[in-house]
Structures are given as structure tokens and as C-alpha cells.
Amino acid sequence: MSSKARIFVIEADQVIRSALGYILSERHETFTFAETADALTKAARATPDAVLVGMSILEDDGAETVGMLARKLHQAGIIVVAGSTKSPLALAGLRQGAEAIIAKPITFDGVTHAVDSVLARRGTEPGLAASPRLAPSEISR
């Protein structure tokens, strides 16, 4: 069994999905999906510690997707990947249960910082002690 945190990336845009998967794959066990249903199927066999949800998913399926993921994958921290931390759809994702927003342009440091912060708050990052649950945050670059 891997000691790495398991991260799901759900993003319809293949370029963004690949970039996020590449950034996360060295430090985490990373799985990428073009559709939410595929991620939920995988989650039945391998529960994620964190889930990155791309804006294309929220644009197609609505911010309620974050709420559904938060309920079904309650042990996973949800992070929205958006064009801006001020995007109304991304902010709706926070209200639905997301813990952070990663603003584009996507950077290695921005993505790893957001994921590591969510994992640390949840106490799921190997080697990191659990921290008190914090209010949802907005993280950019």
C-alpha cells in the first residue's frame, strides 16, 4: 500500500487535466478523469484524499457537483480549479463544500501548495500532523 496521498483530478479539458496530473504525480498517487461519474466509480475501489474539480465540470454540471462530491467523498478535500478566485461559479463551489480555489494560470507551486494545505488540514498527508479545520480558503499562484 502506498504512503502517498491519493488525488483525483476531474477536468474535461485534456490539457488542463494532463497538466494537473503531471504536477501532482511525483508527490501523490494521482488519477485523472474527464467525467465525474468515472471518478465516482474509481472512488468505490480507491477512496481519494483530495479531489480537484475543474471549471469545465462546474460549467457543464453546476456548482452542485461540488456538494455531491463532498457528500459522497466526505473524507476527501475538494479543491476547485478556476480562472479566478473571484469567479462566481468557483465561489459557489466553496459554498457547496470546496475547501480551496486554485486560480489559473496553473503553476507547480500553486497546485502543490493548495493540495498540501488541504491534506494537512485533514491530516491525510503522510508525515503531517492534523491541523484544526480552517475556513475555506482562496489560493492563487
Side-chain angles (χ1 to χ4, degrees):
M1 180 174 207
S2 174
S3 64
K4 292 182 175 183
R6 184 174 297 124
I7 311 298
F8 283 12
V9 175
I10 309 170
E11 169 59 67
D13 183 298
Q14 189 271 329
V15 172
I16 296 170
R17 185 174 64 246
S18 294
L20 291 167
Y22 177 77
I23 289 169
L24 295 167
S25 66
E26 187 173 317
R27 298 182 65 190
H28 305 288
E29 184 180 7
T30 306
F31 300 89
T32 62
F33 306 94
E35 298 180 10
T36 305
D38 294 336
L40 291 172
T41 299
K42 177 69 174 179
R45 297 182 312 275
T47 306
D49 297 304
V51 178
L52 280 70
V53 181
M55 189 55 64
S56 66
I57 299 296
L58 300 184
E59 288 169 348
D60 291 345
D61 302 335
E64 298 80 19
T65 302
V66 172
M68 179 271 298
L69 289 169
R71 285 187 302 280
K72 290 188 177 202
L73 307 173
H74 58 86
Q75 66 281 13
I78 310 292
I79 302 167
V80 173
V81 181
S84 163
T85 59
K86 304 298 183 209
S87 160
L89 199 51
L91 293 172
L94 284 177
R95 290 189 296 276
Q96 289 285 325
E99 295 184 32
I101 297 171
I102 298 172
K104 294 176 188 171
I106 296 169
T107 65
F108 183 88
D109 290 340
V111 171
T112 56
H113 174 71
V115 171
D116 290 349
S117 294
V118 167
L119 292 174
R121 283 195 300 261
R122 292 179 158 272
T124 54
E125 180 65 18
L128 295 178
S131 300
R133 182 136 170 107
L134 302 174
S137 61
E138 297 175 357
I139 300 172
S140 64
R141 291 199 254 176

mmCIF file of all heavy atoms in Angstrom, residues 20 23-24 50-53 55 77-87 90-91 93-94 98-122 134-141:
data_model
loop_
_atom_site.group_PDB
_atom_site.id
_atom_site.type_symbol
_atom_site.label_atom_id
_atom_site.label_comp_id
_atom_site.label_asym_id
_atom_site.label_seq_id
_atom_site.Cartn_x
_atom_site.Cartn_y
_atom_site.Cartn_z
ATOM 1 N N LEU A 20 -2.402 19.148 -14.546
ATOM 2 C CA LEU A 20 -2.612 18.905 -13.110
ATOM 3 C C LEU A 20 -2.097 17.527 -12.711
ATOM 4 O O LEU A 20 -1.445 17.361 -11.678
ATOM 5 C CB LEU A 20 -4.097 19.050 -12.763
ATOM 6 C CG LEU A 20 -4.656 20.465 -12.842
ATOM 7 C CD1 LEU A 20 -6.174 20.439 -12.795
ATOM 8 C CD2 LEU A 20 -4.089 21.332 -11.732
ATOM 9 N N ILE A 23 1.748 17.612 -12.556
ATOM 10 C CA ILE A 23 2.238 18.347 -11.382
ATOM 11 C C ILE A 23 2.119 17.500 -10.118
ATOM 12 O O ILE A 23 3.022 17.471 -9.280
ATOM 13 C CB ILE A 23 1.471 19.677 -11.214
ATOM 14 C CG1 ILE A 23 1.878 20.656 -12.325
ATOM 15 C CG2 ILE A 23 1.705 20.289 -9.837
ATOM 16 C CD1 ILE A 23 0.992 21.894 -12.424
ATOM 17 N N LEU A 24 1.014 16.791 -9.981
ATOM 18 C CA LEU A 24 0.747 16.049 -8.742
ATOM 19 C C LEU A 24 1.358 14.650 -8.699
ATOM 20 O O LEU A 24 1.535 14.089 -7.623
ATOM 21 C CB LEU A 24 -0.765 15.948 -8.535
ATOM 22 C CG LEU A 24 -1.460 17.282 -8.288
ATOM 23 C CD1 LEU A 24 -2.966 17.129 -8.413
ATOM 24 C CD2 LEU A 24 -1.075 17.828 -6.922
ATOM 25 N N ALA A 50 -7.997 13.820 -1.703
ATOM 26 C CA ALA A 50 -8.350 15.149 -2.211
ATOM 27 C C ALA A 50 -8.842 15.001 -3.640
ATOM 28 O O ALA A 50 -8.435 14.088 -4.355
ATOM 29 C CB ALA A 50 -7.161 16.101 -2.158
ATOM 30 N N VAL A 51 -9.730 15.927 -4.037
ATOM 31 C CA VAL A 51 -10.287 15.923 -5.388
ATOM 32 C C VAL A 51 -10.193 17.335 -5.955
ATOM 33 O O VAL A 51 -10.668 18.287 -5.328
ATOM 34 C CB VAL A 51 -11.772 15.472 -5.387
ATOM 35 C CG1 VAL A 51 -12.342 15.520 -6.791
ATOM 36 C CG2 VAL A 51 -11.924 14.082 -4.784
ATOM 37 N N LEU A 52 -9.549 17.468 -7.104
ATOM 38 C CA LEU A 52 -9.512 18.738 -7.817
ATOM 39 C C LEU A 52 -10.591 18.687 -8.880
ATOM 40 O O LEU A 52 -10.630 17.745 -9.680
ATOM 41 C CB LEU A 52 -8.152 18.964 -8.470
ATOM 42 C CG LEU A 52 -7.040 19.478 -7.558
ATOM 43 C CD1 LEU A 52 -6.598 18.419 -6.574
ATOM 44 C CD2 LEU A 52 -5.865 19.949 -8.376
ATOM 45 N N VAL A 53 -11.477 19.676 -8.865
ATOM 46 C CA VAL A 53 -12.579 19.743 -9.822
ATOM 47 C C VAL A 53 -12.350 20.952 -10.718
ATOM 48 O O VAL A 53 -12.277 22.083 -10.224
ATOM 49 C CB VAL A 53 -13.942 19.869 -9.104
ATOM 50 C CG1 VAL A 53 -15.072 19.919 -10.120
ATOM 51 C CG2 VAL A 53 -14.138 18.728 -8.122
ATOM 52 N N MET A 55 -13.031 23.787 -13.717
ATOM 53 C CA MET A 55 -14.122 24.689 -14.043
ATOM 54 C C MET A 55 -14.992 24.120 -15.156
ATOM 55 O O MET A 55 -16.201 24.344 -15.161
ATOM 56 C CB MET A 55 -13.562 26.061 -14.437
ATOM 57 C CG MET A 55 -14.625 27.117 -14.583
ATOM 58 S SD MET A 55 -15.707 27.355 -13.154
ATOM 59 C CE MET A 55 -14.562 27.931 -11.933
ATOM 60 N N GLY A 77 -10.827 16.198 0.633
ATOM 61 C CA GLY A 77 -10.884 17.650 0.500
ATOM 62 C C GLY A 77 -11.125 18.009 -0.957
ATOM 63 O O GLY A 77 -10.483 17.456 -1.845
ATOM 64 N N ILE A 78 -12.049 18.904 -1.197
ATOM 65 C CA ILE A 78 -12.398 19.299 -2.566
ATOM 66 C C ILE A 78 -11.745 20.647 -2.873
ATOM 67 O O ILE A 78 -11.832 21.588 -2.082
ATOM 68 C CB ILE A 78 -13.927 19.429 -2.751
ATOM 69 C CG1 ILE A 78 -14.663 18.196 -2.223
ATOM 70 C CG2 ILE A 78 -14.266 19.730 -4.212
ATOM 71 C CD1 ILE A 78 -14.458 16.938 -2.981
ATOM 72 N N ILE A 79 -11.111 20.729 -4.040
ATOM 73 C CA ILE A 79 -10.446 21.947 -4.498
ATOM 74 C C ILE A 79 -10.973 22.271 -5.889
ATOM 75 O O ILE A 79 -10.993 21.403 -6.762
ATOM 76 C CB ILE A 79 -8.912 21.755 -4.553
ATOM 77 C CG1 ILE A 79 -8.369 21.362 -3.182
ATOM 78 C CG2 ILE A 79 -8.233 23.016 -5.084
ATOM 79 C CD1 ILE A 79 -6.936 20.857 -3.200
ATOM 80 N N VAL A 80 -11.398 23.515 -6.088
ATOM 81 C CA VAL A 80 -11.882 23.960 -7.395
ATOM 82 C C VAL A 80 -10.725 24.615 -8.149
ATOM 83 O O VAL A 80 -9.986 25.421 -7.580
ATOM 84 C CB VAL A 80 -13.044 24.966 -7.238
ATOM 85 C CG1 VAL A 80 -13.441 25.563 -8.577
ATOM 86 C CG2 VAL A 80 -14.242 24.296 -6.568
ATOM 87 N N VAL A 81 -10.574 24.256 -9.423
ATOM 88 C CA VAL A 81 -9.574 24.877 -10.289
ATOM 89 C C VAL A 81 -10.339 25.825 -11.210
ATOM 90 O O VAL A 81 -11.173 25.384 -11.999
ATOM 91 C CB VAL A 81 -8.804 23.826 -11.111
ATOM 92 C CG1 VAL A 81 -7.763 24.500 -11.992
ATOM 93 C CG2 VAL A 81 -8.151 22.800 -10.191
ATOM 94 N N ALA A 82 -10.068 27.133 -11.066
ATOM 95 C CA ALA A 82 -10.856 28.138 -11.778
ATOM 96 C C ALA A 82 -9.967 29.191 -12.411
ATOM 97 O O ALA A 82 -8.780 29.285 -12.102
ATOM 98 C CB ALA A 82 -11.819 28.812 -10.799
ATOM 99 N N GLY A 83 -10.576 29.999 -13.251
ATOM 100 C CA GLY A 83 -9.848 31.095 -13.880
ATOM 101 C C GLY A 83 -9.471 32.185 -12.902
ATOM 102 O O GLY A 83 -8.504 32.902 -13.096
ATOM 103 N N SER A 84 -10.257 32.303 -11.817
ATOM 104 C CA SER A 84 -10.041 33.355 -10.840
ATOM 105 C C SER A 84 -10.613 32.927 -9.494
ATOM 106 O O SER A 84 -11.591 32.183 -9.440
ATOM 107 C CB SER A 84 -10.752 34.630 -11.308
ATOM 108 O OG SER A 84 -10.903 35.555 -10.264
ATOM 109 N N THR A 85 -10.032 33.432 -8.427
ATOM 110 C CA THR A 85 -10.576 33.164 -7.091
ATOM 111 C C THR A 85 -11.885 33.923 -6.878
ATOM 112 O O THR A 85 -12.579 33.669 -5.907
ATOM 113 C CB THR A 85 -9.583 33.556 -5.979
ATOM 114 O OG1 THR A 85 -9.266 34.940 -6.096
ATOM 115 C CG2 THR A 85 -8.322 32.719 -6.055
ATOM 116 N N LYS A 86 -12.195 34.841 -7.767
ATOM 117 C CA LYS A 86 -13.430 35.635 -7.667
ATOM 118 C C LYS A 86 -14.528 35.129 -8.599
ATOM 119 O O LYS A 86 -15.606 35.713 -8.660
ATOM 120 C CB LYS A 86 -13.143 37.112 -7.982
ATOM 121 C CG LYS A 86 -12.063 37.718 -7.108
ATOM 122 C CD LYS A 86 -12.446 37.716 -5.651
ATOM 123 C CE LYS A 86 -11.362 38.391 -4.825
ATOM 124 N NZ LYS A 86 -11.282 37.903 -3.486
ATOM 125 N N SER A 87 -14.268 34.061 -9.326
ATOM 126 C CA SER A 87 -15.265 33.501 -10.240
ATOM 127 C C SER A 87 -16.525 33.123 -9.465
ATOM 128 O O SER A 87 -16.458 32.407 -8.465
ATOM 129 C CB SER A 87 -14.687 32.253 -10.915
ATOM 130 O OG SER A 87 -15.718 31.445 -11.434
ATOM 131 N N ALA A 90 -16.803 29.398 -9.034
ATOM 132 C CA ALA A 90 -15.834 28.876 -8.061
ATOM 133 C C ALA A 90 -16.263 29.209 -6.636
ATOM 134 O O ALA A 90 -16.163 28.364 -5.736
ATOM 135 C CB ALA A 90 -14.444 29.436 -8.342
ATOM 136 N N LEU A 91 -16.752 30.426 -6.419
ATOM 137 C CA LEU A 91 -17.227 30.812 -5.089
ATOM 138 C C LEU A 91 -18.452 29.996 -4.693
ATOM 139 O O LEU A 91 -18.603 29.617 -3.521
ATOM 140 C CB LEU A 91 -17.515 32.315 -5.045
ATOM 141 C CG LEU A 91 -16.275 33.205 -5.188
ATOM 142 C CD1 LEU A 91 -16.680 34.667 -5.326
ATOM 143 C CD2 LEU A 91 -15.320 33.011 -4.028
ATOM 144 N N GLY A 93 -18.828 26.974 -5.594
ATOM 145 C CA GLY A 93 -18.210 25.705 -5.218
ATOM 146 C C GLY A 93 -17.751 25.705 -3.765
ATOM 147 O O GLY A 93 -17.899 24.719 -3.046
ATOM 148 N N LEU A 94 -17.205 26.838 -3.298
ATOM 149 C CA LEU A 94 -16.827 26.964 -1.887
ATOM 150 C C LEU A 94 -18.053 26.818 -0.989
ATOM 151 O O LEU A 94 -18.005 26.134 0.036
ATOM 152 C CB LEU A 94 -16.147 28.308 -1.613
ATOM 153 C CG LEU A 94 -14.703 28.483 -2.060
ATOM 154 C CD1 LEU A 94 -14.228 29.904 -1.755
ATOM 155 C CD2 LEU A 94 -13.787 27.467 -1.417
ATOM 156 N N ALA A 98 -16.343 22.998 -1.191
ATOM 157 C CA ALA A 98 -14.926 23.017 -1.566
ATOM 158 C C ALA A 98 -14.131 23.726 -0.472
ATOM 159 O O ALA A 98 -14.652 24.604 0.215
ATOM 160 C CB ALA A 98 -14.718 23.720 -2.901
ATOM 161 N N GLU A 99 -12.877 23.347 -0.323
ATOM 162 C CA GLU A 99 -12.024 23.931 0.710
ATOM 163 C C GLU A 99 -11.057 24.969 0.176
ATOM 164 O O GLU A 99 -10.485 25.722 0.952
ATOM 165 C CB GLU A 99 -11.251 22.824 1.419
ATOM 166 C CG GLU A 99 -12.163 21.895 2.190
ATOM 167 C CD GLU A 99 -11.407 20.842 2.970
ATOM 168 O OE1 GLU A 99 -10.279 21.119 3.421
ATOM 169 O OE2 GLU A 99 -11.956 19.751 3.118
ATOM 170 N N ALA A 100 -10.854 24.991 -1.142
ATOM 171 C CA ALA A 100 -9.895 25.940 -1.715
ATOM 172 C C ALA A 100 -10.188 26.130 -3.192
ATOM 173 O O ALA A 100 -10.885 25.328 -3.816
ATOM 174 C CB ALA A 100 -8.464 25.440 -1.530
ATOM 175 N N ILE A 101 -9.647 27.211 -3.725
ATOM 176 C CA ILE A 101 -9.695 27.503 -5.159
ATOM 177 C C ILE A 101 -8.252 27.661 -5.633
ATOM 178 O O ILE A 101 -7.475 28.392 -5.021
ATOM 179 C CB ILE A 101 -10.466 28.807 -5.449
ATOM 180 C CG1 ILE A 101 -11.921 28.679 -5.016
ATOM 181 C CG2 ILE A 101 -10.369 29.170 -6.931
ATOM 182 C CD1 ILE A 101 -12.686 29.998 -5.078
ATOM 183 N N ILE A 102 -7.923 26.982 -6.703
ATOM 184 C CA ILE A 102 -6.644 27.205 -7.380
ATOM 185 C C ILE A 102 -6.967 28.065 -8.591
ATOM 186 O O ILE A 102 -7.774 27.673 -9.438
ATOM 187 C CB ILE A 102 -5.987 25.890 -7.838
ATOM 188 C CG1 ILE A 102 -5.669 24.991 -6.653
ATOM 189 C CG2 ILE A 102 -4.732 26.192 -8.667
ATOM 190 C CD1 ILE A 102 -5.196 23.604 -7.050
ATOM 191 N N ALA A 103 -6.362 29.245 -8.659
ATOM 192 C CA ALA A 103 -6.612 30.155 -9.779
ATOM 193 C C ALA A 103 -5.603 29.914 -10.890
ATOM 194 O O ALA A 103 -4.434 29.635 -10.642
ATOM 195 C CB ALA A 103 -6.541 31.598 -9.301
ATOM 196 N N LYS A 104 -6.100 30.031 -12.127
ATOM 197 C CA LYS A 104 -5.208 29.950 -13.274
ATOM 198 C C LYS A 104 -4.473 31.280 -13.409
ATOM 199 O O LYS A 104 -4.999 32.300 -12.985
ATOM 200 C CB LYS A 104 -6.017 29.655 -14.533
ATOM 201 C CG LYS A 104 -6.658 28.281 -14.500
ATOM 202 C CD LYS A 104 -7.514 28.089 -15.725
ATOM 203 C CE LYS A 104 -8.320 26.801 -15.615
ATOM 204 N NZ LYS A 104 -9.300 26.702 -16.688
ATOM 205 N N PRO A 105 -3.296 31.331 -13.924
ATOM 206 C CA PRO A 105 -2.625 30.214 -14.571
ATOM 207 C C PRO A 105 -2.144 29.182 -13.552
ATOM 208 O O PRO A 105 -1.706 29.533 -12.452
ATOM 209 C CB PRO A 105 -1.439 30.864 -15.289
ATOM 210 C CG PRO A 105 -1.145 32.099 -14.496
ATOM 211 C CD PRO A 105 -2.479 32.553 -13.962
ATOM 212 N N ILE A 106 -2.240 27.942 -13.939
ATOM 213 C CA ILE A 106 -1.819 26.848 -13.071
ATOM 214 C C ILE A 106 -0.299 26.859 -12.983
ATOM 215 O O ILE A 106 0.387 26.915 -14.001
ATOM 216 C CB ILE A 106 -2.298 25.502 -13.650
ATOM 217 C CG1 ILE A 106 -3.812 25.445 -13.663
ATOM 218 C CG2 ILE A 106 -1.714 24.337 -12.863
ATOM 219 C CD1 ILE A 106 -4.370 24.286 -14.459
ATOM 220 N N THR A 107 0.216 26.825 -11.760
ATOM 221 C CA THR A 107 1.658 26.734 -11.553
ATOM 222 C C THR A 107 1.949 25.536 -10.658
ATOM 223 O O THR A 107 1.092 25.106 -9.886
ATOM 224 C CB THR A 107 2.225 27.990 -10.874
ATOM 225 O OG1 THR A 107 1.675 28.090 -9.554
ATOM 226 C CG2 THR A 107 1.912 29.252 -11.680
ATOM 227 N N PHE A 108 3.139 25.029 -10.765
ATOM 228 C CA PHE A 108 3.552 23.907 -9.931
ATOM 229 C C PHE A 108 3.386 24.254 -8.456
ATOM 230 O O PHE A 108 2.769 23.517 -7.691
ATOM 231 C CB PHE A 108 5.006 23.531 -10.235
ATOM 232 C CG PHE A 108 5.488 22.337 -9.465
ATOM 233 C CD1 PHE A 108 5.316 21.063 -9.958
ATOM 234 C CD2 PHE A 108 6.106 22.492 -8.228
ATOM 235 C CE1 PHE A 108 5.743 19.952 -9.241
ATOM 236 C CE2 PHE A 108 6.531 21.400 -7.510
ATOM 237 C CZ PHE A 108 6.352 20.119 -8.015
ATOM 238 N N ASP A 109 3.930 25.407 -8.055
ATOM 239 C CA ASP A 109 3.858 25.812 -6.649
ATOM 240 C C ASP A 109 2.432 26.052 -6.186
ATOM 241 O O ASP A 109 2.063 25.683 -5.072
ATOM 242 C CB ASP A 109 4.703 27.065 -6.403
ATOM 243 C CG ASP A 109 6.198 26.798 -6.499
ATOM 244 O OD1 ASP A 109 6.610 25.626 -6.376
ATOM 245 O OD2 ASP A 109 6.955 27.760 -6.698
ATOM 246 N N GLY A 110 1.617 26.687 -7.014
ATOM 247 C CA GLY A 110 0.241 26.965 -6.634
ATOM 248 C C GLY A 110 -0.570 25.698 -6.415
ATOM 249 O O GLY A 110 -1.313 25.575 -5.432
ATOM 250 N N VAL A 111 -0.417 24.738 -7.309
ATOM 251 C CA VAL A 111 -1.160 23.483 -7.200
ATOM 252 C C VAL A 111 -0.677 22.674 -5.994
ATOM 253 O O VAL A 111 -1.483 22.218 -5.177
ATOM 254 C CB VAL A 111 -1.042 22.655 -8.501
ATOM 255 C CG1 VAL A 111 -1.635 21.257 -8.323
ATOM 256 C CG2 VAL A 111 -1.721 23.381 -9.655
ATOM 257 N N THR A 112 0.641 22.522 -5.850
ATOM 258 C CA THR A 112 1.144 21.720 -4.733
ATOM 259 C C THR A 112 0.832 22.365 -3.391
ATOM 260 O O THR A 112 0.504 21.670 -2.429
ATOM 261 C CB THR A 112 2.655 21.434 -4.862
ATOM 262 O OG1 THR A 112 3.369 22.667 -4.968
ATOM 263 C CG2 THR A 112 2.945 20.560 -6.065
ATOM 264 N N HIS A 113 0.899 23.694 -3.325
ATOM 265 C CA HIS A 113 0.584 24.389 -2.071
ATOM 266 C C HIS A 113 -0.880 24.160 -1.690
ATOM 267 O O HIS A 113 -1.191 23.879 -0.530
ATOM 268 C CB HIS A 113 0.877 25.881 -2.198
ATOM 269 C CG HIS A 113 0.442 26.678 -1.008
ATOM 270 N ND1 HIS A 113 1.089 26.607 0.209
ATOM 271 C CD2 HIS A 113 -0.597 27.531 -0.842
ATOM 272 C CE1 HIS A 113 0.460 27.385 1.074
ATOM 273 N NE2 HIS A 113 -0.564 27.956 0.464
ATOM 274 N N ALA A 114 -1.780 24.309 -2.646
ATOM 275 C CA ALA A 114 -3.210 24.129 -2.362
ATOM 276 C C ALA A 114 -3.498 22.703 -1.911
ATOM 277 O O ALA A 114 -4.186 22.486 -0.907
ATOM 278 C CB ALA A 114 -4.032 24.475 -3.595
ATOM 279 N N VAL A 115 -2.972 21.732 -2.621
ATOM 280 C CA VAL A 115 -3.225 20.333 -2.269
ATOM 281 C C VAL A 115 -2.599 19.999 -0.924
ATOM 282 O O VAL A 115 -3.247 19.386 -0.061
ATOM 283 C CB VAL A 115 -2.716 19.390 -3.383
ATOM 284 C CG1 VAL A 115 -2.764 17.934 -2.939
ATOM 285 C CG2 VAL A 115 -3.543 19.586 -4.652
ATOM 286 N N ASP A 116 -1.358 20.399 -0.713
ATOM 287 C CA ASP A 116 -0.700 20.115 0.564
ATOM 288 C C ASP A 116 -1.425 20.774 1.737
ATOM 289 O O ASP A 116 -1.538 20.189 2.813
ATOM 290 C CB ASP A 116 0.765 20.563 0.537
ATOM 291 C CG ASP A 116 1.628 19.699 -0.374
ATOM 292 O OD1 ASP A 116 1.154 18.625 -0.823
ATOM 293 O OD2 ASP A 116 2.774 20.102 -0.653
ATOM 294 N N SER A 117 -1.938 21.988 1.526
ATOM 295 C CA SER A 117 -2.673 22.682 2.593
ATOM 296 C C SER A 117 -3.954 21.940 2.961
ATOM 297 O O SER A 117 -4.260 21.758 4.143
ATOM 298 C CB SER A 117 -3.014 24.113 2.169
ATOM 299 O OG SER A 117 -1.840 24.874 2.022
ATOM 300 N N VAL A 118 -4.697 21.515 1.957
ATOM 301 C CA VAL A 118 -5.935 20.774 2.217
ATOM 302 C C VAL A 118 -5.629 19.442 2.891
ATOM 303 O O VAL A 118 -6.284 19.055 3.855
ATOM 304 C CB VAL A 118 -6.747 20.593 0.911
ATOM 305 C CG1 VAL A 118 -7.860 19.570 1.084
ATOM 306 C CG2 VAL A 118 -7.312 21.935 0.464
ATOM 307 N N LEU A 119 -4.606 18.738 2.413
ATOM 308 C CA LEU A 119 -4.243 17.458 3.027
ATOM 309 C C LEU A 119 -3.778 17.642 4.469
ATOM 310 O O LEU A 119 -4.124 16.848 5.346
ATOM 311 C CB LEU A 119 -3.158 16.759 2.203
ATOM 312 C CG LEU A 119 -3.578 16.270 0.823
ATOM 313 C CD1 LEU A 119 -2.366 15.738 0.069
ATOM 314 C CD2 LEU A 119 -4.673 15.227 0.903
ATOM 315 N N ALA A 120 -3.013 18.688 4.725
ATOM 316 C CA ALA A 120 -2.527 18.939 6.086
ATOM 317 C C ALA A 120 -3.680 19.254 7.028
ATOM 318 O O ALA A 120 -3.710 18.762 8.163
ATOM 319 C CB ALA A 120 -1.512 20.092 6.084
ATOM 320 N N ARG A 121 -4.638 20.065 6.575
ATOM 321 C CA ARG A 121 -5.796 20.384 7.412
ATOM 322 C C ARG A 121 -6.593 19.135 7.748
ATOM 323 O O ARG A 121 -7.167 19.029 8.828
ATOM 324 C CB ARG A 121 -6.704 21.400 6.720
ATOM 325 C CG ARG A 121 -6.172 22.803 6.777
ATOM 326 C CD ARG A 121 -7.241 23.815 6.419
ATOM 327 N NE ARG A 121 -7.802 23.655 5.104
ATOM 328 C CZ ARG A 121 -7.443 24.359 4.028
ATOM 329 N NH1 ARG A 121 -6.492 25.263 4.117
ATOM 330 N NH2 ARG A 121 -8.033 24.157 2.875
ATOM 331 N N ARG A 122 -6.621 18.200 6.824
ATOM 332 C CA ARG A 122 -7.381 16.969 7.029
ATOM 333 C C ARG A 122 -6.545 15.885 7.703
ATOM 334 O O ARG A 122 -7.058 14.831 8.041
ATOM 335 C CB ARG A 122 -7.911 16.456 5.701
ATOM 336 C CG ARG A 122 -8.967 17.375 5.147
ATOM 337 C CD ARG A 122 -9.486 16.907 3.817
ATOM 338 N NE ARG A 122 -10.791 17.506 3.619
ATOM 339 C CZ ARG A 122 -11.926 16.961 4.034
ATOM 340 N NH1 ARG A 122 -11.929 15.813 4.630
ATOM 341 N NH2 ARG A 122 -13.068 17.586 3.838
ATOM 342 N N LEU A 134 -9.835 24.575 9.115
ATOM 343 C CA LEU A 134 -9.863 26.009 8.868
ATOM 344 C C LEU A 134 -11.020 26.353 7.960
ATOM 345 O O LEU A 134 -11.571 25.500 7.275
ATOM 346 C CB LEU A 134 -8.546 26.449 8.207
ATOM 347 C CG LEU A 134 -7.279 26.134 8.987
ATOM 348 C CD1 LEU A 134 -6.064 26.492 8.164
ATOM 349 C CD2 LEU A 134 -7.271 26.879 10.305
ATOM 350 N N ALA A 135 -11.369 27.604 7.926
ATOM 351 C CA ALA A 135 -12.397 28.068 6.999
ATOM 352 C C ALA A 135 -11.899 27.878 5.579
ATOM 353 O O ALA A 135 -10.697 27.860 5.331
ATOM 354 C CB ALA A 135 -12.676 29.536 7.274
ATOM 355 N N PRO A 136 -12.823 27.728 4.621
ATOM 356 C CA PRO A 136 -12.400 27.593 3.220
ATOM 357 C C PRO A 136 -11.478 28.736 2.829
ATOM 358 O O PRO A 136 -11.643 29.869 3.268
ATOM 359 C CB PRO A 136 -13.721 27.654 2.440
ATOM 360 C CG PRO A 136 -14.757 27.221 3.422
ATOM 361 C CD PRO A 136 -14.258 27.710 4.765
ATOM 362 N N SER A 137 -10.518 28.424 1.996
ATOM 363 C CA SER A 137 -9.544 29.441 1.599
ATOM 364 C C SER A 137 -9.532 29.624 0.091
ATOM 365 O O SER A 137 -9.979 28.769 -0.644
ATOM 366 C CB SER A 137 -8.161 29.041 2.079
ATOM 367 O OG SER A 137 -7.777 27.813 1.498
ATOM 368 N N GLU A 138 -9.017 30.731 -0.313
ATOM 369 C CA GLU A 138 -8.806 31.003 -1.720
ATOM 370 C C GLU A 138 -7.302 31.055 -1.932
ATOM 371 O O GLU A 138 -6.615 31.812 -1.283
ATOM 372 C CB GLU A 138 -9.437 32.324 -2.121
ATOM 373 C CG GLU A 138 -10.945 32.323 -1.962
ATOM 374 C CD GLU A 138 -11.548 33.677 -2.252
ATOM 375 O OE1 GLU A 138 -10.791 34.622 -2.524
ATOM 376 O OE2 GLU A 138 -12.776 33.778 -2.188
ATOM 377 N N ILE A 139 -6.821 30.221 -2.829
ATOM 378 C CA ILE A 139 -5.382 30.131 -3.046
ATOM 379 C C ILE A 139 -5.128 30.449 -4.518
ATOM 380 O O ILE A 139 -5.747 29.876 -5.397
ATOM 381 C CB ILE A 139 -4.859 28.720 -2.721
ATOM 382 C CG1 ILE A 139 -5.151 28.402 -1.253
ATOM 383 C CG2 ILE A 139 -3.395 28.593 -3.046
ATOM 384 C CD1 ILE A 139 -4.870 26.987 -0.870
ATOM 385 N N SER A 140 -4.230 31.357 -4.751
ATOM 386 C CA SER A 140 -3.817 31.628 -6.112
ATOM 387 C C SER A 140 -2.303 31.623 -6.159
ATOM 388 O O SER A 140 -1.643 31.975 -5.203
ATOM 389 C CB SER A 140 -4.371 32.962 -6.607
ATOM 390 O OG SER A 140 -3.840 34.012 -5.856
ATOM 391 N N ARG A 141 -1.818 31.187 -7.268
ATOM 392 C CA ARG A 141 -0.373 31.071 -7.510
ATOM 393 C C ARG A 141 0.306 30.826 -6.239
ATOM 394 O O ARG A 141 1.180 30.727 -5.727
ATOM 395 C CB ARG A 141 0.177 32.278 -8.193
ATOM 396 C CG ARG A 141 -0.344 32.357 -9.606
ATOM 397 C CD ARG A 141 0.504 33.221 -10.393
ATOM 398 N NE ARG A 141 -0.177 34.477 -10.631
ATOM 399 C CZ ARG A 141 0.365 35.479 -11.243
ATOM 400 N NH1 ARG A 141 1.582 35.431 -11.625
ATOM 401 N NH2 ARG A 141 -0.303 36.550 -11.480
#
